[in-house]
């Protein structure tokens, strides 16, 4: 191998090796330490014993703590639930939009597509913030409903799971629409004509032709919503209530509020194995199927 | 999916997408401090925003971070994509494939925490990076943005006709020349798209930056977050309106440029 | 510089002491455990126009890519102009290639595409563009020099690709199905131009093609490939008239193939016993023994048709015209013999006033023994 080739391989390899892979080893090692009040706030891996030998200090104490405390288990489960529900809603809202855009004639199609992408280029944080103004007890929705006389007292929408669902669906809707759109534009119009020619009503055509053929788009879009939703911190922190448990939020609080770095690390490691590994496994299966 | 149902569903979807943004803009011109209760037209919050040193300096930090991260991410991501699509078999190929795609599915809290712990450990053992700030945020953002750039660059490199590169070799260009004369110009549009995506992702990131930044290097999202955490605040509306204005102007200019390029091609 | 004329007329391949310009020895290319090119030995002489023919996937492109340097042979050696190419990268080889997909750089103008190779040689910009323009004039594209490739038609693109591969005056020009994308008329025009270019520049050409007519028109010699092996190398006439194997005979043009055995192999006379035709008398041939399994090949135009039994030959059979097709200067017939065997015959339509043989007529099919080709593989 000549040196130029080695250099070209080396740059991305070393960068990612140091700044992406190595951190996980550090994470794993600190998850075995103990929190102390010091800088840095955890016990070192090696300690010089009184007799001068090096001792390795590592314990699975943090992991036992995670298993015993129901808080963490509930947080994992409820993260999955929230992500799942949000993904389903995003699909229900996103599919008609993607379908409509894919069928629209040209200038209209580009404009609608741009309108779907546009919010993505504005700040994510500010879009979540916009919902705070909408959902508050004296927010836009409540004010409108009260002035229309539909309700007398403001509905409580902020700081609920409902607000978190809305926030996630709203934030990740473009990620659902775009792969669906890409898939649906490829759908051959002749297939639909053939189906109706063979006597299928539009409804039947949709459920027997369009929907099955758009399955890859549905899977891709759902992944793009589900994956970031599961580790989400900002949305539950801003829109959720104190009882909205999500694992990203638990990790954040463990780190910033309790300043317990080792427990936060253990939470991250468990999250890695419980959430990220299955997703990567699923993706690699899907990739292989696409190659075949 | 015919008749009234579909257009209605689409209309509802777009209202859902745009109503919050519109209200954000409208209430940024609200006199009242109670953001969502109309108290008359005013631009006072824009004035307050422009006097807010903290916001201005954090915006500057964010722009610097985004600019450098996007540059570095394009370099690392493009090289990674190039190696994976053009170098055939080499030692560590599988590892590189994994490392370049995994950041896409990695929850931000994990990336942020693990990088912070790395920086802390490196500081303890190597003495670098001394403290955390601009540099560490740029490194962190480069790492996760490179994955996005790599995905875009890889799909372009795959679809590119490899005989273009062979033709250049055949005409006497060495491998490095071929890369700069042929490969790079052909995939340039994808790299511009990658750069813009990286820039946006970096500007947008709150979680990773919160973990790896240090005192004195707060990014704009960090400052906004600390403000809105306490409730709605009218100067944030003003800021949002300015950002939306920027995006709109950029989109209009880009559209105009593209249309002009298309016209020139036809003419 | 009188290349083609010299190569075509001096026929260096018939001269054992002539120095080959390109020489391949035992060249094999494997992809994994699939052998794309197998044990190829090939000599090509200066200013030849060598055509590689063969079915899709037989390894033609792979062979060409090894000459250009994009693939390295798994085993074997390639020499060009006496120099071993094993460690020479594509950019240092004295070859240029015209790609099947043309591979024009989309971001450069036509002119820049053509000048690119000259600039890599270290030529000054002004000189490089000057020569590029000359080349473009030659392929009649000087008016389109400032266009980008995507603003050209298919035929124009093909000529740019040709100009780009010629402009460096390579010692060896490799063309991978250069005329594949063109319609028939443009194809013939371009074939003509290729020969003209080759005559004026004296370059050595290796052309891959699917089209045997093209090979017949262009080539000084033809190599017929099958499954990675070169089955036969020869001048077009030689390949056509004396194919060495059933595959070559069948691949080049139409042929009637018969199976059978050698019956009598005497020095002055040879008789074959064919399954389809029975006993056949042919001119004696060395290397055949009694009882040996052989195949016989006769081109359709080598048969004669007549209403009466021909007198001067024993090799005549009676049959019925089952089908006939008129294609301008020729007519093609399918004759069903009494024993059910079908024979393809073509006759040129020279005599206008003659009453041509037609459907359902009883006819006699015969051939001159010299036209009968005995194959052993
Ligand atoms: N990089 C490669 N890896 C694996 N197999 C290959 C590769 N390149 C070519 N082959 C195989 O080698 C064989 C010969 O390929 P080649 O391209 O030389 O065929 P060809 O004669 O040019 O065919 P065509 O006339 O269709 O262009 C084919 O079966 C092909 O599948
Ligand atoms: Mg080929």
């Amino acid at each position: 191998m000549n040196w130029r080739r080695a250099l070209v391989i080396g740059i991305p390899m070393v960068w990612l090796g140091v700044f992406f892979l190595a951190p996980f080893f550090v994470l794993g090692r600190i998850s075995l330490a103990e929190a102390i009040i010091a800088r840095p706030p955890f016990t070192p891996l090696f300690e010089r014993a009184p007799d001068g030998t090096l001792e390795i200090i590592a314990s699975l104490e943090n992991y036992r703590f995670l298993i015993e405390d129901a808080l963490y288990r509930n947080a994992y489960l409820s993260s999955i639930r929230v992500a799942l529900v949000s993904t389903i809603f995003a699909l229900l809202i996103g599919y008609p939009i993607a379908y409509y855009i894919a069928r629209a004639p040209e200038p209209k199609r580009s404009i609608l597509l741009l309108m779907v992408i546009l919010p993505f280029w504005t700040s994510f944080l500010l879009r979540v913030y916009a919902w705070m103004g909408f959902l508050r007890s004296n927010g836009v929705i409540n004010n409108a409903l009260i002035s229309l006389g539909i309700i007398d007292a403001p509905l409580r929408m902020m700081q609920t799971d409902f607000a978190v669902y809305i926030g996630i669906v709203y934030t990740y809707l473009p990620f659902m629409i775009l792969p669906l759109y890409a898939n649906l534009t490829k759908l051959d119009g002749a297939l639909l004509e053939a189906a109706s020619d063979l006597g299928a009503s539009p409804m039947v055509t949709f459920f027997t032709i369009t929907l099955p053929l758009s399955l890859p788009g549905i899977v891709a879009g759902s992944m793009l919503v589900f994956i970031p939703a599961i580790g989400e911190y900002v949305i539950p922190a801003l829109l959720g209530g104190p009882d909205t448990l999500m694992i990203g939020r638990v990790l954040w609080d463990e780190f910033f509020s309790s300043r317990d770095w080792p427990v936060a690390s253990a939470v991250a490691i468990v999250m890695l194995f419980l959430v990220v590994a299955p997703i990567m496994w699923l993706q690699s299966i899907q990739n292989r199927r696409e190659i075949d | 999916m015919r008749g009234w149902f579909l257009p209605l569903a689409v209309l509802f979807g777009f209202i859902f997408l745009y109503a919050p943004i519109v209200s954000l803009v409208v209430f940024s011109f609200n006199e009242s401090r109670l953001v969502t209760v109309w108290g008359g037209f005013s631009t006072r919050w824009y004035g307050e925003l422009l006097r807010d040193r903290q916001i201005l300096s954090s915006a500057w930090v964010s722009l610097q971070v985004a600019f450098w991260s996007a540059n570095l991410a394009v370099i690392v991501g493009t090289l990674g994509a190039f190696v994976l699509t053009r170098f055939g078999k080499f030692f560590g190929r599988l590892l590189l494939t994994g490392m370049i795609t995994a950041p896409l599915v990695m929850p931000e809290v994990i990336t942020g925490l693990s990088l912070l712990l790395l920086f802390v450990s490196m500081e303890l053992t190597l003495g670098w990076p001394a403290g955390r700030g601009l540099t560490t945020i740029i490194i962190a953002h480069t790492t996760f943005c490179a994955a996005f750039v790599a995905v875009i660059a890889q799909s372009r490199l795959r679809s590119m006709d490899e005989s273009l590169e062979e033709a250049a070799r055949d005409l006497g260009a060495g491998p490095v020349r071929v890369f700069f004369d042929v490969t790079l110009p052909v995939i340039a549009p994808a790299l511009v798209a990658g750069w813009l995506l990286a820039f946006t992702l970096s500007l947008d990131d709150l979680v990773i930056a919160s973990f790896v930044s240090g005192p004195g290097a707060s990014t704009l999202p960090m400052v906004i977050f600390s403000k809105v955490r306490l409730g709605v605040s009218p100067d944030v509306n003003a800021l949002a309106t300015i950002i939306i204005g920027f995006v709109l102007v950029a989109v209009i200019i880009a559209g105009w440029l593209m249309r002009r390029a298309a016209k020139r091609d036809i003419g | 510089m009188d290349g083609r004329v010299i190569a075509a007329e001096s026929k260096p391949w018939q001269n054992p002491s002539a120095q080959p310009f390109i020489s391949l020895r035992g060249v094999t290319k494997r992809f994994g455990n699939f052998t794309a090119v197998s044990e190829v030995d090939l000599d090509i002489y200066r200013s030849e126009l060598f055509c590689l023919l063969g079915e899709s996937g037989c390894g033609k492109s792979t062979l060409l890519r090894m000459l250009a340097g994009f693939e390295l042979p798994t085993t074997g050696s390639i020499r060009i102009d006496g120099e071993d190419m094993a460690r020479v990268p594509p950019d240092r080889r004295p070859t240029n290639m015209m790609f099947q997909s043309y591979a024009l750089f989309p971001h450069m103008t036509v002119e820049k595409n053509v000048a690119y190779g000259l600039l890599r040689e270290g030529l000054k910009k002004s000189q490089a563009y000057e020569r590029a323009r000359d080349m473009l004039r030659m392929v009649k594209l000087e008016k389109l020099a400032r266009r980008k490739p995507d603003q050209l038609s298919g035929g124009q693109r093909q000529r740019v690709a040709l100009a780009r591969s010629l402009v460096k005056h390579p010692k060896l020009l490799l063309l991978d199905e250069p005329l594949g994308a063109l319609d028939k008329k443009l194809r013939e025009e371009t074939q003509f131009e290729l020969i003209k270019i080759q005559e004026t520049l004296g370059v050595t050409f290796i052309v891959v093609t699917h089209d045997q007519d093209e090979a017949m028109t262009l080539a000084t010699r033809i190599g017929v490939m099958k499954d990675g092996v070169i089955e036969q190398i020869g001048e077009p006439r030689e390949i056509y008239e004396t194919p060495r194997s059933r595959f070559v005979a069948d691949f080049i043009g139409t042929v009637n193939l018969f199976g059978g055995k050698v019956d009598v192999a005497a020095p002055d006379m040879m008789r074959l016993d064919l399954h389809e035709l029975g006993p056949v008398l042919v001119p004696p041939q060395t290397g055949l023994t009694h009882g040996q399994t052989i195949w016989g090949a006769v081109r359709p135009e080598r048969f004669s048709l007549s209403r009466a039994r021909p007198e001067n030959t024993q090799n005549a059979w009676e049959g019925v015209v089952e089908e006939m097709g008129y294609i301008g200067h020729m007519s093609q017939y399918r004759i069903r013999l009494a024993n059910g065997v079908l024979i393809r015959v073509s006759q040129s339509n020279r005599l206008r006033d003659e009453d041509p043989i037609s459907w359902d007529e009883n006819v006699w099919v015969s051939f001159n023994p010299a036209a009968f080709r005995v194959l052993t593989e």
Side-chain angles (χ1 to χ4, degrees):
Chain A
M1 182 154 44
N2 67 41
W3 63 270
R4 271 189 309 216
R5 191 178 150 94
L7 183 72
V8 174
I9 297 177
I11 291 174
M13 201 78 150
V14 169
W15 183 286
L16 293 169
V18 172
F19 296 120
F20 182 74
L21 194 60
F24 291 108
F25 292 100
V26 181
L27 194 68
R29 164 233 177 295
I30 290 175
S31 75
L32 302 175
E34 214 175 293
I36 51 170
I37 299 174
R39 284 189 67 133
F42 51 84
T43 53
L45 187 59
F46 301 104
E47 194 158 75
R48 208 161 279 283
D51 59 356
T53 56
L54 272 181
E55 280 178 7
I56 298 178
I57 308 173
S59 80
L60 293 172
E61 189 59 28
N62 297 319
Y63 290 97
R64 212 186 50 148
F65 177 60
L66 292 192
I67 293 167
E68 282 175 0
D69 195 331
L71 170 85
Y72 298 101
R73 202 177 331 126
N74 291 341
Y76 282 112
L77 291 178
S78 104
S79 293
I80 293 174
R81 194 196 68 230
V82 169
L84 208 60
V85 172
S86 312
T87 305
I88 292 169
F89 275 105
L91 181 62
L92 291 179
I93 298 174
Y95 200 106
I97 298 182
Y99 184 91
Y100 185 78
I101 298 177
R103 291 271 158 277
E106 206 3 281
K108 192 174 169 192
R109 174 196 287 209
S110 295
I111 291 168
L112 289 178
L113 202 58
L114 182 68
M115 280 179 65
V116 168
I117 303 170
L118 209 53
F120 169 77
W121 294 95
T122 65
S123 164
F124 154 67
L125 193 53
L126 291 174
R127 277 180 293 145
V128 177
Y129 165 75
W131 280 100
M132 293 174 70
F134 246 56
L135 299 174
R136 281 176 345 137
S137 54
N138 62 344
V140 175
I141 294 179
N142 274 323
N143 286 354
L145 291 179
I146 288 173
S147 65
L148 288 173
I150 297 172
I151 52 171
D152 318 316
L155 297 171
R156 187 170 167 271
M157 290 180 289
M158 265 296 276
Q159 307 205 324
T160 60
D161 283 2
F162 170 72
V164 175
Y165 294 145
I166 288 213
I168 293 178
V169 171
Y170 182 69
T171 308
Y172 296 112
L173 193 57
F175 296 100
M176 177 62 87
I177 294 178
L178 291 180
L180 275 174
Y181 163 79
N183 176 286
L184 286 168
T185 42
K186 278 187 288 182
L187 185 73
D188 185 357
L191 292 181
L192 305 184
E193 287 168 5
S196 67
D197 184 57
L198 295 170
S201 69
M203 200 66 142
V204 172
T205 305
F206 175 76
F207 283 105
T208 54
I209 310 287
T210 312
L211 199 60
L213 284 176
S214 61
L215 215 54
I218 293 178
V219 172
S222 302
M223 285 291 229
L224 287 181
V225 177
F226 185 83
I227 292 169
I230 212 155
E232 190 54 59
Y233 164 72
V234 175
I235 296 170
L238 290 182
L239 300 177
D243 53 342
T244 310
L245 270 181
M246 283 192 73
I247 195 65
R249 195 177 177 192
V250 169
L251 192 155
W252 177 287
D253 290 341
E254 210 61 72
F255 179 83
F256 285 102
S257 312
S258 325
R259 286 191 63 75
D260 193 335
W261 293 18
V263 167
S265 304
V267 172
I269 293 281
V270 174
M271 190 166 168
L272 212 53
F273 281 104
L274 243 49
V275 179
V276 181
I279 288 171
M280 290 181 75
W281 179 70
L282 263 177
Q283 277 215 320
S284 73
I285 288 181
Q286 209 192 332
N287 280 348
R288 224 173 299 151
R289 199 175 301 155
E290 268 165 29
I291 290 165
D292 283 347
Chain B
M1 296 291 249
R2 194 188 264 180
W4 52 268
F5 170 73
L6 191 59
L8 206 67
V10 173
L11 186 69
F12 167 77
F14 276 105
I15 289 175
F16 175 67
L17 271 179
Y18 279 91
I21 294 178
V22 171
S23 94
L24 207 59
V25 172
V26 168
F27 285 105
S28 77
F29 296 105
N30 187 4
E31 169 70 32
S32 161
R33 180 171 288 282
L34 292 166
V35 176
T36 46
V37 181
W38 189 250
F41 181 86
S42 143
T43 53
R44 74 182 258 222
W45 304 113
Y46 289 86
E48 291 212 354
L49 185 73
L50 293 179
R51 278 188 296 278
D52 189 334
R53 294 235 149 264
Q54 204 194 3
I55 293 242
L56 292 183
S57 71
S58 68
W60 177 234
V61 168
S62 272
L63 286 174
Q64 279 174 286
V65 168
F67 177 76
W68 290 112
S69 314
N71 291 348
L72 287 171
V74 166
I75 294 173
V76 175
T78 308
L79 285 179
F82 185 72
V83 163
L84 288 179
T85 49
R86 292 289 190 273
F87 274 26
K89 285 201 189 100
F90 60 88
F91 178 76
R93 187 190 165 87
L94 199 66
L95 180 68
L96 186 62
T97 313
M99 289 196 304
I100 220 156
T101 46
L104 297 174
V105 298
M106 200 52 67
E108 290 167 317
V109 280
I110 297 186
T111 310
L113 175 63
S114 63
L115 265 169
L116 167 74
L117 298 179
L118 175 86
F119 290 140
V120 170
S121 313
M122 279 172 77
E123 190 181 5
L124 281 178
T125 51
L126 306 174
W128 182 91
R132 286 172 298 286
L134 220 56
T135 318
T136 50
I137 307 178
I138 290 175
I139 290 174
H141 282 187
T142 301
T143 307
F144 91 94
C145 290
F148 287 87
V149 175
V151 169
I152 296 178
Q154 231 174 325
S155 83
R156 184 69 194 91
L157 281 167
R158 286 232 175 82
S159 65
M160 172 181 171
D161 181 5
E162 268 182 67
S163 58
L164 288 178
E165 286 153 332
E166 290 176 347
R169 280 310 289 279
D170 188 60
L171 293 167
V176 178
R177 259 228 99 98
V178 172
F179 181 76
F180 286 103
D181 280 358
V182 177
T183 316
L184 214 49
V186 170
I187 66 169
L191 297 191
V192 171
W195 192 93
L196 285 172
L197 183 63
F199 188 83
T200 321
L201 287 171
S202 168
L203 268 189
D204 228 20
D205 168 67
L206 164 71
V207 174
I208 295 176
S210 299
F211 277 100
V212 299
S213 81
S218 291
T219 63
L220 188 57
M222 289 166 68
V223 171
I224 298 174
F225 186 64
S226 63
K227 267 180 184 290
V228 303
R229 230 182 167 174
L230 309 173
V232 290
S233 135
D235 49 348
V236 174
N237 283 46
L239 178 65
T241 305
I242 291 174
I243 291 178
I244 291 165
F246 266 120
V247 170
L248 274 182
V249 169
V251 166
I252 289 169
I253 290 177
W256 179 72
L257 284 178
M258 274 195 287
R259 187 174 283 190
R260 206 179 61 159
K263 258 195 201 136
R264 207 180 32 204
D265 271 357
I266 294 165
Chain C
M1 287 295 263
D2 209 0
R4 181 185 152 81
V5 179
I6 289 174
E9 278 163 18
S10 67
K11 305 197 173 178
W13 49 90
Q14 292 176 347
N15 172 2
S17 66
Q19 274 298 315
F21 177 56
I22 294 152
S23 103
L24 284 77
R25 287 289 169 269
V27 170
T28 296
K29 177 71 191 178
R30 287 194 200 92
F31 295 108
N33 52 17
F34 174 78
T35 308
V37 170
S38 168
E39 292 292 330
V40 166
D41 294 317
L42 179 62
D43 285 327
I44 294 175
Y45 297 86
R46 202 177 290 278
S47 71
E48 262 202 82
L49 201 161
F50 191 93
C51 271
L52 270 176
L53 263 179
E55 298 169 316
S56 182
C58 68
K60 305 179 298 287
S61 295
T62 308
L63 195 61
L64 223 58
R65 291 168 57 78
M66 284 193 283
L67 283 162
F70 304 131
E71 309 277 2
L72 291 178
T74 314
T75 58
S77 76
I78 296 176
R79 297 177 153 272
I80 298 179
D81 211 4
E83 194 187 345
D84 185 17
M85 289 287 128
R87 302 191 61 82
V88 184
D91 43 316
R92 304 258 172 76
R93 295 198 180 192
T95 64
N96 281 132
M97 180 146 170
M98 182 178 158
F99 288 78
Q100 200 166 356
S101 61
Y102 306 147
L104 298 178
F105 306 130
H107 55 296
M108 299 182 191
T109 59
V110 165
E111 175 176 62
K112 260 195 165 157
N113 262 285
V114 178
Y116 187 84
L118 295 171
L119 291 170
R120 298 288 79 73
E121 263 178 0
L123 226 62
K124 273 218 257 2
K125 237 186 171 147
S126 55
Q127 266 178 309
Y129 280 88
E130 180 83 38
R131 264 175 69 182
R133 267 191 297 274
D134 287 344
M135 200 66 223
L136 284 172
R137 206 164 298 133
M138 183 163 152
V139 295
K140 303 193 191 74
L141 281 178
E142 69 271 29
K143 291 212 185 67
L144 306 180
R146 295 288 162 81
R147 293 232 190 136
K148 292 266 181 75
D150 61 358
Q151 301 165 324
L152 300 178
S153 75
Q156 290 165 341
R157 262 179 237 172
Q158 177 255 326
R159 293 204 305 250
V160 176
L162 185 64
R164 190 179 70 177
S165 58
L166 275 170
V167 75
K168 292 182 78 174
H169 295 318
K171 292 182 188 170
L172 172 61
L173 192 62
L174 305 165
L175 301 109
D176 196 349
E177 303 197 28
L179 314 180
L182 302 184
D183 65 52
K184 193 166 153 39
K185 193 160 147 18
L186 205 53
R187 245 178 125 99
E188 278 168 6
E189 257 172 47
T190 319
Q191 286 173 3
F192 205 70
E193 258 174 64
L194 268 185
I195 292 181
K196 225 171 66 189
I197 288 168
Q198 201 240 4
E199 280 171 359
T200 44
L201 299 181
V203 188
T204 308
F205 280 62
I206 301 181
V207 182
V208 164
T209 174
H210 261 135
D211 178 348
Q212 32 162 311
D213 290 339
E214 191 170 293
M216 290 288 171
T217 331
L218 289 176
T220 54
R221 284 190 303 157
I222 293 175
V224 182
M225 281 187 83
K226 186 196 178 197
D227 296 341
V229 179
I230 299 199
E231 289 263 317
Q232 187 173 1
I233 301 171
E235 293 169 40
R237 167 165 284 275
E238 194 180 331
I239 297 258
Y240 187 76
E241 299 289 350
T242 55
R244 193 171 296 159
S245 65
R246 276 182 299 158
F247 172 77
V248 176
D250 206 22
F251 189 76
I252 308 286
T254 330
V255 76
N256 293 289
L257 276 175
F258 310 104
K261 277 205 213 41
V262 178
D263 190 19
V264 180
D268 56 340
M269 164 291 230
M270 193 160 86
R271 197 167 72 209
L272 308 172
D273 189 17
L274 300 178
H275 305 314
E276 293 88 351
L277 300 179
V280 172
L281 289 175
V282 295
Q285 209 169 328
T286 51
L288 295 176
T289 53
H290 171 77
Q292 189 178 352
T293 307
I294 49 95
W295 291 270
V298 185
R299 299 281 178 199
E301 69 273 14
R302 292 315 199 100
F303 279 108
S304 334
L305 288 184
S306 57
R307 292 200 171 86
R309 186 184 167 112
E311 281 158 16
N312 51 1
T313 176
Q314 293 193 11
N315 299 330
W317 297 267
E318 195 169 12
V320 181
V321 178
E322 194 168 274
E323 255 182 77
M324 81 166 272
Y326 173 78
I327 44 166
H329 58 294
M330 330 244 285
S331 290
Q332 291 188 333
Y333 296 89
R334 281 158 175 270
I335 311 292
R336 179 77 68 185
L337 301 187
N339 61 359
V341 172
L342 204 61
I343 293 191
R344 279 182 281 195
V345 178
S346 59
Q347 302 284 283
S348 57
N349 302 325
R350 261 167 310 190
L351 302 172
R352 271 173 200 228
D353 47 358
E354 196 195 345
D355 170 27
I357 290 172
S358 189
W359 301 80
D360 295 332
E361 279 192 62
N362 275 318
V363 289
W364 285 86
V365 184
S366 61
F367 63 77
N368 179 344
F372 192 90
R373 173 80 186 146
V374 180
L375 305 170
T376 52
E377 327 182 2

